[in-house]
Amino acid sequence: MGTSTLTFRGLYVLVIRGLHALTFRGLHVLAFRGLHAFTFKGLHVLTIIGLQVLTIRGLHVLAFRGLHVLAIRGLHAFTFQGLHALTFRGPNILIFRGLHVLVFRGLHVLAFRGLHALAFRGLHALAFKGLHALAFRGLHILHFRGLHVLAFRGLHTLAFSGLHIRTLREFKVLYP
């Protein structure tokens, strides 16, 4: 009926209508219509129609049509069509087509084609093509091609090519 079995000193082999099974001293192998499974001493491997899964001692790996996922002891990594993501006990990192993002305990960092942004506990910083901006607890600083601007609790200062302007509530000063 299409069934074959073999046993020999701990080796067991079974073949039945496209199903192949083998066991030997802790090794287990199974194959059936594009499905392949393999287990040996804590290692588990499975492949089915382009999907590949591997687990061993807390390590988990998955691959499927350009998607790759890895997890081990709090570390999680993910790649898919140019997207790369990583998390490890708090830090989260994402990379995608020139975009880099990092998040860790309230710290946020972003970098993309010359743009750099940072946020941490009320501090915000930005840099982009000669423009630098910083904001922290009511203090705002901006610098761009010789222009300097500072604002803090009603005080505003502007400096540009030898020109300085200060305003503090209705008081204004202008001097070259």
Side-chain angles (χ1 to χ4, degrees):
M1 301 217 24
T3 303
S4 303
T5 57
L6 182 143
T7 62
F8 180 73
R9 293 186 183 171
L11 169 66
Y12 299 90
V13 180
L14 170 85
V15 179
I16 177 171
R17 293 184 185 166
L19 169 66
H20 299 71
L22 179 148
T23 65
F24 181 67
R25 294 184 184 166
L27 167 66
H28 304 272
V29 181
L30 183 143
F32 181 68
R33 294 184 185 165
L35 166 67
H36 299 78
F38 173 100
T39 66
F40 182 67
K41 293 183 179 172
L43 168 66
H44 300 76
V45 180
L46 183 142
T47 67
I48 178 171
I49 308 170
L51 169 65
Q52 300 174 336
V53 180
L54 181 147
T55 66
I56 179 171
R57 296 182 187 154
L59 167 66
H60 304 270
V61 180
L62 182 146
F64 181 67
R65 294 182 184 165
L67 166 67
H68 298 78
V69 180
L70 181 145
I72 180 171
R73 295 182 186 159
L75 167 67
H76 299 79
F78 173 101
T79 66
F80 181 65
Q81 293 178 357
L83 168 66
H84 305 270
L86 185 143
T87 67
F88 182 66
R89 294 186 185 154
N92 298 276
I93 300 171
L94 184 143
I95 301 171
F96 182 63
R97 294 181 183 165
L99 168 66
H100 297 72
V101 180
L102 182 143
V103 179
F104 181 64
R105 294 184 183 164
L107 167 66
H108 298 72
V109 180
L110 183 146
F112 182 66
R113 295 183 184 164
L115 167 66
H116 298 77
L118 181 145
F120 183 67
R121 295 184 183 164
L123 168 66
H124 298 78
L126 184 143
F128 182 65
K129 293 182 179 173
L131 167 67
H132 299 78
L134 184 142
F136 183 67
R137 295 184 182 163
L139 169 65
H140 298 76
I141 301 173
L142 185 144
H143 171 78
F144 182 66
R145 296 182 184 164
L147 169 66
H148 300 74
V149 179
L150 182 143
F152 183 68
R153 296 184 183 163
L155 167 66
H156 299 77
T157 302
L158 184 145
F160 183 69
S161 299
L163 169 67
H164 302 282
I165 300 173
R166 287 193 182 141
T167 67
L168 177 58
R169 297 197 179 110
E170 296 300 312
F171 178 68
K172 294 181 179 148
V173 177
L174 171 69
Y175 61 94

